[in-house]
Amino acid sequence: MQNSATARLILENGTVFTGRPFGFVHDVLGEVVFTTNMTGYQETLTDPSFCGQIVVMTYPLIGNYGINFEDMESDKPALSAFVVREACDYPSNFRTEMSLDGFLRQNRIMGLEGIDTRALTRIIRDCGCMRGIITTQNLDGEDLKARFDTLDNSDVISRVSAKYSYNIGGTGERVAFIDMGAKHGILRDLSALGCDITVFPYNVSAKEIEKLNPDMVFVSNGPGDPRDVPETVETVKQLIGKYRVCGICMGHQIIGLALGCGIKKLKFGHHGGNHPVKNTETGRVYISSQNHNYIVSDLPGDVRELYTNVNDGTCEGIKHDGLHVCSVQFHPEASPGPLDTRFIFKSFFEI
């Protein structure tokens, strides 16, 4: 993308990358993370779990097949900014409806291109996730520190959760779906199984869900730290033992807290479509799609680890047989990523 203007990405450790702005140009503050997906940039852009973050794509050419409105994972992007090595000016695909630049402009998202994204990725891997500012101004010293100190992502779940309850009809199992910032792919896969889904906001009460008398309570993915929503943890705690309870990603972490597990933050998170996970019962390894900065840890004796991350040994799934609870950290619906673990949706109804 030809643009004579410049913008800088300034990390809180003092590292500066200078590139070209595109999309909706304005100053942006967020947590800088990288994702390793080689395709699926549109699904990445519209994943609510990136709310409050500056997302860096490690694959160098982004935007070459444009944007279409069938592959959206939410109604609009929630991320703070999008950083790429090269943004394609002229997409070529029969499904293209608009360019990446136009999509970012329409949704008021800052873009930055022309920087060494792989060098940036190595810095994040070495130093961990850190705050960053993208700016077209000459900021330094106290101005920078003051801006960094204003970053607060404790409300990201409330920003992307459903604002009211609604139903997605079906003839099968009745599912109470707690929306922590859900991707459309999860709802699509549950609907494909014939589920009758009632979607609730993150702060729904246990009493309201009990009125539905569901066959399963499902807690979705979402952004941020699960400890920022103690009301959701309390709701799930009250529902465990009364209903089958399952979850994905943030839902897995909420369920973990409700069962007495701990939560830890990873150094630079798991973001991408190439993460191997191992089933502890069968020994089989699957390649999974992931997007999270926190993990479940310190499992109590009655909770067993069902899946383990092959790369770093972190917990990727838990199960409590006596209470009919099961959850996974990775994304069986992918979007984007491999579909190796899509069978998990059916297994949720068999626990």
Side-chain angles (χ1 to χ4, degrees), residues 33-70:
V33 300
F34 67 86
T35 180
T36 57
N37 280 316
M38 297 176 69
T39 60
Y41 56 80
Q42 179 176 332
E43 292 90 336
T44 296
L45 275 169
T46 55
D47 183 349
S49 293
F50 282 121
C51 183
Q53 295 181 326
I54 296 172
V55 179
V56 180
M57 301 295 293
T58 58
Y59 189 73
L61 178 61
I62 302 297
N64 51 313
Y65 54 84
I67 298 288
N68 70 82
F69 299 116
E70 292 182 6

PDB file of all heavy atoms in Angstrom, residues 33-70:
ATOM      1  N   VAL A  33       0.000  -8.446  20.678  1.00  0.00           N
ATOM      2  CA  VAL A  33       0.104  -9.901  20.575  1.00  0.00           C
ATOM      3  C   VAL A  33       0.324 -10.274  19.116  1.00  0.00           C
ATOM      4  O   VAL A  33       0.002  -9.500  18.214  1.00  0.00           O
ATOM      5  CB  VAL A  33      -1.161 -10.616  21.109  1.00  0.00           C
ATOM      6  CG1 VAL A  33      -1.404 -10.282  22.569  1.00  0.00           C
ATOM      7  CG2 VAL A  33      -2.384 -10.276  20.264  1.00  0.00           C
ATOM      8  N   PHE A  34       0.863 -11.460  18.884  1.00  0.00           N
ATOM      9  CA  PHE A  34       1.038 -11.923  17.506  1.00  0.00           C
ATOM     10  C   PHE A  34       0.254 -13.206  17.287  1.00  0.00           C
ATOM     11  O   PHE A  34       0.019 -13.985  18.213  1.00  0.00           O
ATOM     12  CB  PHE A  34       2.521 -12.141  17.175  1.00  0.00           C
ATOM     13  CG  PHE A  34       3.168 -13.281  17.933  1.00  0.00           C
ATOM     14  CD1 PHE A  34       3.105 -14.595  17.463  1.00  0.00           C
ATOM     15  CD2 PHE A  34       3.856 -13.037  19.112  1.00  0.00           C
ATOM     16  CE1 PHE A  34       3.701 -15.634  18.162  1.00  0.00           C
ATOM     17  CE2 PHE A  34       4.456 -14.074  19.820  1.00  0.00           C
ATOM     18  CZ  PHE A  34       4.378 -15.379  19.338  1.00  0.00           C
ATOM     19  N   THR A  35      -0.165 -13.420  16.024  1.00  0.00           N
ATOM     20  CA  THR A  35      -0.850 -14.654  15.664  1.00  0.00           C
ATOM     21  C   THR A  35      -0.173 -15.257  14.444  1.00  0.00           C
ATOM     22  O   THR A  35       0.266 -14.540  13.536  1.00  0.00           O
ATOM     23  CB  THR A  35      -2.349 -14.427  15.397  1.00  0.00           C
ATOM     24  OG1 THR A  35      -2.971 -15.665  15.044  1.00  0.00           O
ATOM     25  CG2 THR A  35      -2.583 -13.411  14.300  1.00  0.00           C
ATOM     26  N   THR A  36      -0.083 -16.588  14.418  1.00  0.00           N
ATOM     27  CA  THR A  36       0.706 -17.296  13.404  1.00  0.00           C
ATOM     28  C   THR A  36      -0.126 -17.853  12.263  1.00  0.00           C
ATOM     29  O   THR A  36       0.405 -18.589  11.426  1.00  0.00           O
ATOM     30  CB  THR A  36       1.474 -18.457  14.063  1.00  0.00           C
ATOM     31  OG1 THR A  36       0.546 -19.330  14.729  1.00  0.00           O
ATOM     32  CG2 THR A  36       2.481 -17.940  15.072  1.00  0.00           C
ATOM     33  N   ASN A  37      -1.409 -17.541  12.192  1.00  0.00           N
ATOM     34  CA  ASN A  37      -2.225 -18.045  11.087  1.00  0.00           C
ATOM     35  C   ASN A  37      -1.727 -17.500   9.750  1.00  0.00           C
ATOM     36  O   ASN A  37      -1.460 -16.302   9.613  1.00  0.00           O
ATOM     37  CB  ASN A  37      -3.696 -17.639  11.277  1.00  0.00           C
ATOM     38  CG  ASN A  37      -4.411 -18.543  12.256  1.00  0.00           C
ATOM     39  OD1 ASN A  37      -4.279 -19.754  12.219  1.00  0.00           O
ATOM     40  ND2 ASN A  37      -5.166 -17.942  13.154  1.00  0.00           N
ATOM     41  N   MET A  38      -1.648 -18.401   8.759  1.00  0.00           N
ATOM     42  CA  MET A  38      -1.208 -18.002   7.420  1.00  0.00           C
ATOM     43  C   MET A  38      -2.388 -17.555   6.563  1.00  0.00           C
ATOM     44  O   MET A  38      -2.215 -16.833   5.578  1.00  0.00           O
ATOM     45  CB  MET A  38      -0.464 -19.156   6.743  1.00  0.00           C
ATOM     46  CG  MET A  38       0.807 -19.555   7.466  1.00  0.00           C
ATOM     47  SD  MET A  38       1.626 -20.981   6.747  1.00  0.00           S
ATOM     48  CE  MET A  38       2.189 -20.313   5.196  1.00  0.00           C
ATOM     49  N   THR A  39      -3.592 -18.003   6.894  1.00  0.00           N
ATOM     50  CA  THR A  39      -4.806 -17.561   6.219  1.00  0.00           C
ATOM     51  C   THR A  39      -5.838 -17.230   7.294  1.00  0.00           C
ATOM     52  O   THR A  39      -5.616 -17.463   8.475  1.00  0.00           O
ATOM     53  CB  THR A  39      -5.374 -18.651   5.289  1.00  0.00           C
ATOM     54  OG1 THR A  39      -5.683 -19.822   6.068  1.00  0.00           O
ATOM     55  CG2 THR A  39      -4.382 -19.017   4.198  1.00  0.00           C
ATOM     56  N   GLY A  40      -6.975 -16.704   6.853  1.00  0.00           N
ATOM     57  CA  GLY A  40      -8.029 -16.418   7.815  1.00  0.00           C
ATOM     58  C   GLY A  40      -7.879 -15.092   8.522  1.00  0.00           C
ATOM     59  O   GLY A  40      -8.341 -14.928   9.649  1.00  0.00           O
ATOM     60  N   TYR A  41      -7.252 -14.112   7.856  1.00  0.00           N
ATOM     61  CA  TYR A  41      -7.080 -12.812   8.516  1.00  0.00           C
ATOM     62  C   TYR A  41      -8.422 -12.145   8.809  1.00  0.00           C
ATOM     63  O   TYR A  41      -8.546 -11.420   9.788  1.00  0.00           O
ATOM     64  CB  TYR A  41      -6.177 -11.884   7.705  1.00  0.00           C
ATOM     65  CG  TYR A  41      -6.623 -11.639   6.280  1.00  0.00           C
ATOM     66  CD1 TYR A  41      -7.620 -10.723   5.971  1.00  0.00           C
ATOM     67  CD2 TYR A  41      -6.025 -12.321   5.235  1.00  0.00           C
ATOM     68  CE1 TYR A  41      -8.023 -10.500   4.670  1.00  0.00           C
ATOM     69  CE2 TYR A  41      -6.413 -12.121   3.918  1.00  0.00           C
ATOM     70  CZ  TYR A  41      -7.421 -11.205   3.639  1.00  0.00           C
ATOM     71  OH  TYR A  41      -7.824 -11.008   2.340  1.00  0.00           O
ATOM     72  N   GLN A  42      -9.446 -12.425   7.979  1.00  0.00           N
ATOM     73  CA  GLN A  42     -10.750 -11.808   8.249  1.00  0.00           C
ATOM     74  C   GLN A  42     -11.370 -12.380   9.516  1.00  0.00           C
ATOM     75  O   GLN A  42     -11.920 -11.655  10.341  1.00  0.00           O
ATOM     76  CB  GLN A  42     -11.693 -12.026   7.070  1.00  0.00           C
ATOM     77  CG  GLN A  42     -13.076 -11.435   7.305  1.00  0.00           C
ATOM     78  CD  GLN A  42     -13.992 -11.564   6.102  1.00  0.00           C
ATOM     79  OE1 GLN A  42     -13.529 -11.598   4.969  1.00  0.00           O
ATOM     80  NE2 GLN A  42     -15.284 -11.643   6.349  1.00  0.00           N
ATOM     81  N   GLU A  43     -11.261 -13.701   9.707  1.00  0.00           N
ATOM     82  CA  GLU A  43     -11.764 -14.314  10.929  1.00  0.00           C
ATOM     83  C   GLU A  43     -10.984 -13.816  12.141  1.00  0.00           C
ATOM     84  O   GLU A  43     -11.554 -13.620  13.219  1.00  0.00           O
ATOM     85  CB  GLU A  43     -11.674 -15.839  10.840  1.00  0.00           C
ATOM     86  CG  GLU A  43     -12.615 -16.463   9.820  1.00  0.00           C
ATOM     87  CD  GLU A  43     -12.009 -16.590   8.434  1.00  0.00           C
ATOM     88  OE1 GLU A  43     -11.083 -15.823   8.112  1.00  0.00           O
ATOM     89  OE2 GLU A  43     -12.470 -17.450   7.664  1.00  0.00           O
ATOM     90  N   THR A  44      -9.680 -13.610  11.969  1.00  0.00           N
ATOM     91  CA  THR A  44      -8.864 -13.053  13.048  1.00  0.00           C
ATOM     92  C   THR A  44      -9.321 -11.632  13.390  1.00  0.00           C
ATOM     93  O   THR A  44      -9.490 -11.274  14.556  1.00  0.00           O
ATOM     94  CB  THR A  44      -7.379 -13.046  12.638  1.00  0.00           C
ATOM     95  OG1 THR A  44      -6.934 -14.391  12.450  1.00  0.00           O
ATOM     96  CG2 THR A  44      -6.514 -12.370  13.691  1.00  0.00           C
ATOM     97  N   LEU A  45      -9.533 -10.817  12.367  1.00  0.00           N
ATOM     98  CA  LEU A  45      -9.978  -9.439  12.577  1.00  0.00           C
ATOM     99  C   LEU A  45     -11.293  -9.368  13.347  1.00  0.00           C
ATOM    100  O   LEU A  45     -11.512  -8.446  14.140  1.00  0.00           O
ATOM    101  CB  LEU A  45     -10.165  -8.745  11.225  1.00  0.00           C
ATOM    102  CG  LEU A  45      -8.948  -8.106  10.571  1.00  0.00           C
ATOM    103  CD1 LEU A  45      -9.275  -7.716   9.133  1.00  0.00           C
ATOM    104  CD2 LEU A  45      -8.490  -6.887  11.352  1.00  0.00           C
ATOM    105  N   THR A  46     -12.187 -10.327  13.110  1.00  0.00           N
ATOM    106  CA  THR A  46     -13.529 -10.256  13.693  1.00  0.00           C
ATOM    107  C   THR A  46     -13.714 -11.195  14.877  1.00  0.00           C
ATOM    108  O   THR A  46     -14.844 -11.429  15.302  1.00  0.00           O
ATOM    109  CB  THR A  46     -14.587 -10.545  12.607  1.00  0.00           C
ATOM    110  OG1 THR A  46     -14.311 -11.811  11.982  1.00  0.00           O
ATOM    111  CG2 THR A  46     -14.591  -9.452  11.556  1.00  0.00           C
ATOM    112  N   ASP A  47     -12.621 -11.733  15.414  1.00  0.00           N
ATOM    113  CA  ASP A  47     -12.688 -12.563  16.623  1.00  0.00           C
ATOM    114  C   ASP A  47     -12.771 -11.643  17.842  1.00  0.00           C
ATOM    115  O   ASP A  47     -11.832 -10.892  18.122  1.00  0.00           O
ATOM    116  CB  ASP A  47     -11.445 -13.447  16.709  1.00  0.00           C
ATOM    117  CG  ASP A  47     -11.468 -14.390  17.906  1.00  0.00           C
ATOM    118  OD1 ASP A  47     -12.338 -14.230  18.792  1.00  0.00           O
ATOM    119  OD2 ASP A  47     -10.615 -15.292  17.958  1.00  0.00           O
ATOM    120  N   PRO A  48     -13.886 -11.666  18.594  1.00  0.00           N
ATOM    121  CA  PRO A  48     -14.024 -10.776  19.761  1.00  0.00           C
ATOM    122  C   PRO A  48     -12.969 -10.997  20.834  1.00  0.00           C
ATOM    123  O   PRO A  48     -12.750 -10.117  21.673  1.00  0.00           O
ATOM    124  CB  PRO A  48     -15.422 -11.111  20.291  1.00  0.00           C
ATOM    125  CG  PRO A  48     -16.156 -11.712  19.133  1.00  0.00           C
ATOM    126  CD  PRO A  48     -15.115 -12.456  18.362  1.00  0.00           C
ATOM    127  N   SER A  49     -12.304 -12.148  20.826  1.00  0.00           N
ATOM    128  CA  SER A  49     -11.286 -12.424  21.845  1.00  0.00           C
ATOM    129  C   SER A  49     -10.072 -11.513  21.725  1.00  0.00           C
ATOM    130  O   SER A  49      -9.237 -11.474  22.629  1.00  0.00           O
ATOM    131  CB  SER A  49     -10.839 -13.892  21.763  1.00  0.00           C
ATOM    132  OG  SER A  49     -11.882 -14.756  22.137  1.00  0.00           O
ATOM    133  N   PHE A  50      -9.951 -10.787  20.616  1.00  0.00           N
ATOM    134  CA  PHE A  50      -8.846  -9.838  20.450  1.00  0.00           C
ATOM    135  C   PHE A  50      -9.207  -8.433  20.934  1.00  0.00           C
ATOM    136  O   PHE A  50      -8.437  -7.494  20.714  1.00  0.00           O
ATOM    137  CB  PHE A  50      -8.423  -9.766  18.982  1.00  0.00           C
ATOM    138  CG  PHE A  50      -7.562 -10.918  18.532  1.00  0.00           C
ATOM    139  CD1 PHE A  50      -7.971 -11.737  17.496  1.00  0.00           C
ATOM    140  CD2 PHE A  50      -6.340 -11.168  19.127  1.00  0.00           C
ATOM    141  CE1 PHE A  50      -7.177 -12.790  17.059  1.00  0.00           C
ATOM    142  CE2 PHE A  50      -5.529 -12.221  18.707  1.00  0.00           C
ATOM    143  CZ  PHE A  50      -5.954 -13.036  17.666  1.00  0.00           C
ATOM    144  N   CYS A  51     -10.335  -8.274  21.581  1.00  0.00           N
ATOM    145  CA  CYS A  51     -10.748  -6.952  22.050  1.00  0.00           C
ATOM    146  C   CYS A  51      -9.675  -6.336  22.955  1.00  0.00           C
ATOM    147  O   CYS A  51      -9.168  -6.995  23.873  1.00  0.00           O
ATOM    148  CB  CYS A  51     -12.069  -7.057  22.814  1.00  0.00           C
ATOM    149  SG  CYS A  51     -12.738  -5.480  23.374  1.00  0.00           S
ATOM    150  N   GLY A  52      -9.311  -5.089  22.680  1.00  0.00           N
ATOM    151  CA  GLY A  52      -8.323  -4.386  23.490  1.00  0.00           C
ATOM    152  C   GLY A  52      -6.880  -4.663  23.106  1.00  0.00           C
ATOM    153  O   GLY A  52      -5.963  -4.171  23.763  1.00  0.00           O
ATOM    154  N   GLN A  53      -6.653  -5.421  22.008  1.00  0.00           N
ATOM    155  CA  GLN A  53      -5.300  -5.816  21.643  1.00  0.00           C
ATOM    156  C   GLN A  53      -4.893  -5.263  20.276  1.00  0.00           C
ATOM    157  O   GLN A  53      -5.726  -5.067  19.387  1.00  0.00           O
ATOM    158  CB  GLN A  53      -5.180  -7.342  21.642  1.00  0.00           C
ATOM    159  CG  GLN A  53      -5.377  -7.939  23.030  1.00  0.00           C
ATOM    160  CD  GLN A  53      -5.249  -9.453  23.048  1.00  0.00           C
ATOM    161  OE1 GLN A  53      -5.615 -10.130  22.092  1.00  0.00           O
ATOM    162  NE2 GLN A  53      -4.728  -9.991  24.136  1.00  0.00           N
ATOM    163  N   ILE A  54      -3.590  -5.037  20.119  1.00  0.00           N
ATOM    164  CA  ILE A  54      -2.975  -4.720  18.838  1.00  0.00           C
ATOM    165  C   ILE A  54      -2.472  -6.035  18.275  1.00  0.00           C
ATOM    166  O   ILE A  54      -1.577  -6.662  18.862  1.00  0.00           O
ATOM    167  CB  ILE A  54      -1.829  -3.705  19.009  1.00  0.00           C
ATOM    168  CG1 ILE A  54      -2.370  -2.368  19.517  1.00  0.00           C
ATOM    169  CG2 ILE A  54      -1.058  -3.525  17.707  1.00  0.00           C
ATOM    170  CD1 ILE A  54      -1.282  -1.365  19.899  1.00  0.00           C
ATOM    171  N   VAL A  55      -3.053  -6.485  17.180  1.00  0.00           N
ATOM    172  CA  VAL A  55      -2.780  -7.820  16.650  1.00  0.00           C
ATOM    173  C   VAL A  55      -1.761  -7.747  15.519  1.00  0.00           C
ATOM    174  O   VAL A  55      -1.947  -7.011  14.543  1.00  0.00           O
ATOM    175  CB  VAL A  55      -4.077  -8.492  16.156  1.00  0.00           C
ATOM    176  CG1 VAL A  55      -3.783  -9.868  15.574  1.00  0.00           C
ATOM    177  CG2 VAL A  55      -5.088  -8.596  17.296  1.00  0.00           C
ATOM    178  N   VAL A  56      -0.698  -8.526  15.641  1.00  0.00           N
ATOM    179  CA  VAL A  56       0.381  -8.579  14.654  1.00  0.00           C
ATOM    180  C   VAL A  56       0.283  -9.898  13.895  1.00  0.00           C
ATOM    181  O   VAL A  56       0.243 -10.973  14.498  1.00  0.00           O
ATOM    182  CB  VAL A  56       1.761  -8.480  15.353  1.00  0.00           C
ATOM    183  CG1 VAL A  56       2.888  -8.544  14.327  1.00  0.00           C
ATOM    184  CG2 VAL A  56       1.850  -7.221  16.192  1.00  0.00           C
ATOM    185  N   MET A  57       0.223  -9.828  12.570  1.00  0.00           N
ATOM    186  CA  MET A  57       0.205 -11.021  11.736  1.00  0.00           C
ATOM    187  C   MET A  57       1.640 -11.393  11.364  1.00  0.00           C
ATOM    188  O   MET A  57       2.370 -10.578  10.795  1.00  0.00           O
ATOM    189  CB  MET A  57      -0.611 -10.786  10.469  1.00  0.00           C
ATOM    190  CG  MET A  57      -2.058 -10.397  10.706  1.00  0.00           C
ATOM    191  SD  MET A  57      -3.057 -11.689  11.493  1.00  0.00           S
ATOM    192  CE  MET A  57      -3.087 -12.935  10.215  1.00  0.00           C
ATOM    193  N   THR A  58       2.052 -12.629  11.669  1.00  0.00           N
ATOM    194  CA  THR A  58       3.412 -13.044  11.316  1.00  0.00           C
ATOM    195  C   THR A  58       3.536 -13.368   9.835  1.00  0.00           C
ATOM    196  O   THR A  58       4.608 -13.214   9.253  1.00  0.00           O
ATOM    197  CB  THR A  58       3.843 -14.276  12.132  1.00  0.00           C
ATOM    198  OG1 THR A  58       2.912 -15.341  11.906  1.00  0.00           O
ATOM    199  CG2 THR A  58       3.900 -13.950  13.604  1.00  0.00           C
ATOM    200  N   TYR A  59       2.437 -13.827   9.196  1.00  0.00           N
ATOM    201  CA  TYR A  59       2.485 -14.078   7.762  1.00  0.00           C
ATOM    202  C   TYR A  59       2.612 -12.726   7.046  1.00  0.00           C
ATOM    203  O   TYR A  59       1.885 -11.783   7.358  1.00  0.00           O
ATOM    204  CB  TYR A  59       1.230 -14.821   7.302  1.00  0.00           C
ATOM    205  CG  TYR A  59       1.312 -15.298   5.879  1.00  0.00           C
ATOM    206  CD1 TYR A  59       2.123 -16.379   5.536  1.00  0.00           C
ATOM    207  CD2 TYR A  59       0.608 -14.645   4.861  1.00  0.00           C
ATOM    208  CE1 TYR A  59       2.218 -16.812   4.230  1.00  0.00           C
ATOM    209  CE2 TYR A  59       0.696 -15.068   3.560  1.00  0.00           C
ATOM    210  CZ  TYR A  59       1.503 -16.151   3.240  1.00  0.00           C
ATOM    211  OH  TYR A  59       1.598 -16.569   1.938  1.00  0.00           O
ATOM    212  N   PRO A  60       3.529 -12.611   6.052  1.00  0.00           N
ATOM    213  CA  PRO A  60       3.893 -11.279   5.554  1.00  0.00           C
ATOM    214  C   PRO A  60       2.882 -10.567   4.662  1.00  0.00           C
ATOM    215  O   PRO A  60       2.823  -9.333   4.670  1.00  0.00           O
ATOM    216  CB  PRO A  60       5.190 -11.536   4.777  1.00  0.00           C
ATOM    217  CG  PRO A  60       5.135 -12.987   4.405  1.00  0.00           C
ATOM    218  CD  PRO A  60       4.421 -13.664   5.530  1.00  0.00           C
ATOM    219  N   LEU A  61       2.091 -11.282   3.847  1.00  0.00           N
ATOM    220  CA  LEU A  61       1.171 -10.620   2.923  1.00  0.00           C
ATOM    221  C   LEU A  61      -0.263 -10.825   3.384  1.00  0.00           C
ATOM    222  O   LEU A  61      -0.759 -11.954   3.416  1.00  0.00           O
ATOM    223  CB  LEU A  61       1.338 -11.170   1.497  1.00  0.00           C
ATOM    224  CG  LEU A  61       0.396 -10.574   0.441  1.00  0.00           C
ATOM    225  CD1 LEU A  61       0.619  -9.071   0.311  1.00  0.00           C
ATOM    226  CD2 LEU A  61       0.579 -11.269  -0.899  1.00  0.00           C
ATOM    227  N   ILE A  62      -0.930  -9.751   3.714  1.00  0.00           N
ATOM    228  CA  ILE A  62      -2.294  -9.811   4.248  1.00  0.00           C
ATOM    229  C   ILE A  62      -3.224  -8.946   3.397  1.00  0.00           C
ATOM    230  O   ILE A  62      -2.881  -7.816   3.037  1.00  0.00           O
ATOM    231  CB  ILE A  62      -2.329  -9.325   5.714  1.00  0.00           C
ATOM    232  CG1 ILE A  62      -1.398 -10.178   6.581  1.00  0.00           C
ATOM    233  CG2 ILE A  62      -3.756  -9.364   6.250  1.00  0.00           C
ATOM    234  CD1 ILE A  62      -1.764 -11.643   6.683  1.00  0.00           C
ATOM    235  N   GLY A  63      -4.413  -9.500   3.102  1.00  0.00           N
ATOM    236  CA  GLY A  63      -5.407  -8.762   2.330  1.00  0.00           C
ATOM    237  C   GLY A  63      -5.515  -9.196   0.889  1.00  0.00           C
ATOM    238  O   GLY A  63      -6.299  -8.629   0.124  1.00  0.00           O
ATOM    239  N   ASN A  64      -4.747 -10.226   0.479  1.00  0.00           N
ATOM    240  CA  ASN A  64      -4.691 -10.585  -0.940  1.00  0.00           C
ATOM    241  C   ASN A  64      -5.983 -11.208  -1.468  1.00  0.00           C
ATOM    242  O   ASN A  64      -6.217 -11.199  -2.677  1.00  0.00           O
ATOM    243  CB  ASN A  64      -3.507 -11.517  -1.210  1.00  0.00           C
ATOM    244  CG  ASN A  64      -3.453 -12.711  -0.283  1.00  0.00           C
ATOM    245  OD1 ASN A  64      -3.589 -12.550   0.922  1.00  0.00           O
ATOM    246  ND2 ASN A  64      -3.269 -13.883  -0.825  1.00  0.00           N
ATOM    247  N   TYR A  65      -6.841 -11.744  -0.588  1.00  0.00           N
ATOM    248  CA  TYR A  65      -8.132 -12.237  -1.087  1.00  0.00           C
ATOM    249  C   TYR A  65      -9.297 -11.376  -0.583  1.00  0.00           C
ATOM    250  O   TYR A  65     -10.461 -11.759  -0.678  1.00  0.00           O
ATOM    251  CB  TYR A  65      -8.341 -13.718  -0.748  1.00  0.00           C
ATOM    252  CG  TYR A  65      -8.200 -14.098   0.710  1.00  0.00           C
ATOM    253  CD1 TYR A  65      -9.265 -13.958   1.594  1.00  0.00           C
ATOM    254  CD2 TYR A  65      -7.001 -14.617   1.201  1.00  0.00           C
ATOM    255  CE1 TYR A  65      -9.142 -14.306   2.932  1.00  0.00           C
ATOM    256  CE2 TYR A  65      -6.866 -14.971   2.529  1.00  0.00           C
ATOM    257  CZ  TYR A  65      -7.942 -14.820   3.392  1.00  0.00           C
ATOM    258  OH  TYR A  65      -7.807 -15.166   4.717  1.00  0.00           O
ATOM    259  N   GLY A  66      -8.973 -10.203  -0.069  1.00  0.00           N
ATOM    260  CA  GLY A  66      -9.997  -9.231   0.277  1.00  0.00           C
ATOM    261  C   GLY A  66     -10.833  -9.597   1.485  1.00  0.00           C
ATOM    262  O   GLY A  66     -10.433 -10.401   2.326  1.00  0.00           O
ATOM    263  N   ILE A  67     -12.008  -9.000   1.546  1.00  0.00           N
ATOM    264  CA  ILE A  67     -12.961  -9.201   2.638  1.00  0.00           C
ATOM    265  C   ILE A  67     -14.308  -9.577   2.032  1.00  0.00           C
ATOM    266  O   ILE A  67     -14.744  -9.004   1.036  1.00  0.00           O
ATOM    267  CB  ILE A  67     -13.147  -7.910   3.464  1.00  0.00           C
ATOM    268  CG1 ILE A  67     -11.828  -7.484   4.129  1.00  0.00           C
ATOM    269  CG2 ILE A  67     -14.262  -8.079   4.509  1.00  0.00           C
ATOM    270  CD1 ILE A  67     -11.377  -8.355   5.274  1.00  0.00           C
ATOM    271  N   ASN A  68     -14.959 -10.589   2.607  1.00  0.00           N
ATOM    272  CA  ASN A  68     -16.338 -10.893   2.227  1.00  0.00           C
ATOM    273  C   ASN A  68     -17.162 -11.001   3.508  1.00  0.00           C
ATOM    274  O   ASN A  68     -16.613 -11.225   4.586  1.00  0.00           O
ATOM    275  CB  ASN A  68     -16.433 -12.178   1.404  1.00  0.00           C
ATOM    276  CG  ASN A  68     -16.145 -13.405   2.245  1.00  0.00           C
ATOM    277  OD1 ASN A  68     -17.016 -13.911   2.945  1.00  0.00           O
ATOM    278  ND2 ASN A  68     -14.912 -13.892   2.199  1.00  0.00           N
ATOM    279  N   PHE A  69     -18.464 -10.847   3.388  1.00  0.00           N
ATOM    280  CA  PHE A  69     -19.300 -10.754   4.581  1.00  0.00           C
ATOM    281  C   PHE A  69     -19.873 -12.089   5.030  1.00  0.00           C
ATOM    282  O   PHE A  69     -20.655 -12.142   5.974  1.00  0.00           O
ATOM    283  CB  PHE A  69     -20.411  -9.723   4.353  1.00  0.00           C
ATOM    284  CG  PHE A  69     -19.862  -8.353   4.078  1.00  0.00           C
ATOM    285  CD1 PHE A  69     -20.073  -7.729   2.859  1.00  0.00           C
ATOM    286  CD2 PHE A  69     -19.088  -7.707   5.022  1.00  0.00           C
ATOM    287  CE1 PHE A  69     -19.539  -6.474   2.602  1.00  0.00           C
ATOM    288  CE2 PHE A  69     -18.546  -6.450   4.775  1.00  0.00           C
ATOM    289  CZ  PHE A  69     -18.778  -5.831   3.558  1.00  0.00           C
ATOM    290  N   GLU A  70     -19.453 -13.193   4.397  1.00  0.00           N
ATOM    291  CA  GLU A  70     -19.884 -14.521   4.823  1.00  0.00           C
ATOM    292  C   GLU A  70     -18.972 -15.093   5.900  1.00  0.00           C
ATOM    293  O   GLU A  70     -19.374 -15.987   6.635  1.00  0.00           O
ATOM    294  CB  GLU A  70     -19.919 -15.482   3.632  1.00  0.00           C
ATOM    295  CG  GLU A  70     -21.000 -15.173   2.609  1.00  0.00           C
ATOM    296  CD  GLU A  70     -21.018 -16.187   1.476  1.00  0.00           C
ATOM    297  OE1 GLU A  70     -20.259 -17.180   1.567  1.00  0.00           O
ATOM    298  OE2 GLU A  70     -21.770 -15.986   0.509  1.00  0.00           O
TER     299      GLU A  70
END
